[in-house]
Amino acid sequence: MFDQPLHGGFGRHTSPITLLRVLVGLLLALLLCVPPVLAQAGNPSGLPLPRFASTRSDPINVRVGPGTKYEVAWTYLQSVIPVEIVQEFDTWRKIRDMDGTEGWVHQNLLQGTRAGYATPLLANGEVAIRATPSDTASLRARLGAGFKVIIRECDGAWCDVSATSPAGNGRAASYAGYVRQEELWGVYPDEVFD
C-alpha cells in the first residue's frame, strides 16, 4: 500500500523536470512574499521616502557617507533647519537641503518638527502670512525669500506657520498665520498633515 506512488504525487515515476518545475513554482511563490521584507531592509525606519524633517540640535556634522569614518562635508550651526530625508542606511539618513546639496547624518540628530523656508513664486517677491487661509484675509507679515518658518499643519493648499524675526531693538518679533503651501520649501505640494 505505501510502496506505490499516489496519482499526481511525487512517487518513483515523477520525472526530474517535473520536480524542477514544482520547485521553481514554490520559489516564485516565496519570492512574492519577500518584497515587503526587502522594502524594509532598504528603508529601516519603515517611514516613507522622501520626507521632510529638521535638525534636532547644533552643531551637526553632515558627512559624505553613512558613518563617522566618513569626512565631514559641512556643519549646521543652528537647530531646526529643514531638510529632506531622501535615503536611509541603518541608523543614518541621507538628507538634502534647500539648495539640493546632499549628505549623511545620524538619525538621532533629526526630529519630526516641520520647518520650512519662504519661497516666493515671483522673483524678488515676498511670501504673505495671512490671518486665515485665504488670499483676501488680512496681512500679518511679509517674508523675504529664504525666511525660516515653523510649520504646524498643512491642508494641501495652506499651511499654518509661525515666524520669528529679530527686531532692530534686540527684541524678537513673532508672527503666526497662514501661507500658501506652494510658497514653502519644507512641505510637498498637496501634502496634508496636522
Side-chain angles (χ1 to χ4, degrees), residues 119-138:
T119 54
L121 294 176
L122 302 173
N124 299 324
E126 296 175 319
V127 171
I129 295 182
R130 303 261 176 202
T132 61
S134 168
D135 286 323
T136 59
S138 63

Side-chain angles (χ1 to χ4, degrees), residues 42 49-50 84-89 92-95 102 104:
L49 289 175
E84 184 178 26
I85 300 172
V86 295
Q87 189 177 348
E88 296 181 353
F89 178 77
W92 290 84
R93 305 295 179 255
K94 187 174 190 179
I95 60 168
E102 296 182 349
W104 292 86

Side-chain angles (χ1 to χ4, degrees), residues 119-171:
T119 54
L121 294 176
L122 302 173
N124 299 324
E126 296 175 319
V127 171
I129 295 182
R130 303 261 176 202
T132 61
S134 168
D135 286 323
T136 59
S138 63
L139 184 66
R140 293 219 170 138
R142 292 191 183 274
L143 306 177
F147 198 95
K148 186 174 78 171
V149 298
I150 302 300
I151 306 170
R152 289 190 288 266
E153 63 181 286
C154 293
D155 65 9
W158 291 87
C159 294
D160 182 2
V161 303
S162 62
T164 303
S165 141
N169 60 2
R171 289 185 169 175

Side-chain angles (χ1 to χ4, degrees), residues 2 10 13 27 40 42 47 51 60 80 97 108 120 122 124 137 150 153 163 183 186 189:
F2 293 107
F10 297 106
H13 302 293
L27 285 173
Q40 289 176 351
L47 297 171
R51 68 182 180 274
I60 289 178
V80 196
D97 67 12
N108 290 342
L122 302 173
N124 299 324
I150 302 300
E153 63 181 286
E183 294 189 288

Side-chain angles (χ1 to χ4, degrees), residues 17-170:
I17 292 180
T18 303
L19 281 173
L20 183 61
R21 287 181 182 157
V22 170
L23 287 174
V24 167
L26 287 171
L27 285 173
L28 287 174
L30 285 173
L31 286 177
L32 291 175
C33 299
V34 174
V37 173
L38 290 178
Q40 289 176 351
N43 188 5
S45 71
L47 297 171
L49 289 175
R51 68 182 180 274
F52 283 103
S54 63
T55 59
R56 181 182 302 273
S57 59
D58 59 79
I60 289 178
N61 290 329
V62 181
R63 298 182 178 275
V64 297
T68 56
K69 65 183 178 185
Y70 292 95
E71 291 181 33
V72 174
W74 75 89
T75 301
Y76 283 117
L77 300 177
Q78 297 178 6
S79 60
V80 196
I81 301 295
V83 295
E84 184 178 26
I85 300 172
V86 295
Q87 189 177 348
E88 296 181 353
F89 178 77
D90 194 23
T91 58
W92 290 84
R93 305 295 179 255
K94 187 174 190 179
I95 60 168
R96 179 183 300 139
D97 67 12
M98 185 177 164
D99 298 327
T101 308
E102 296 182 349
W104 292 86
V105 298
H106 193 273
Q107 68 182 4
N108 290 342
L109 301 175
L110 299 173
Q111 63 183 343
T113 300
R114 297 294 291 267
Y117 291 117
T119 54
L121 294 176
L122 302 173
N124 299 324
E126 296 175 319
V127 171
I129 295 182
R130 303 261 176 202
T132 61
S134 168
D135 286 323
T136 59
S138 63
L139 184 66
R140 293 219 170 138
R142 292 191 183 274
L143 306 177
F147 198 95
K148 186 174 78 171
V149 298
I150 302 300
I151 306 170
R152 289 190 288 266
E153 63 181 286
C154 293
D155 65 9
W158 291 87
C159 294
D160 182 2
V161 303
S162 62
T164 303
S165 141
N169 60 2

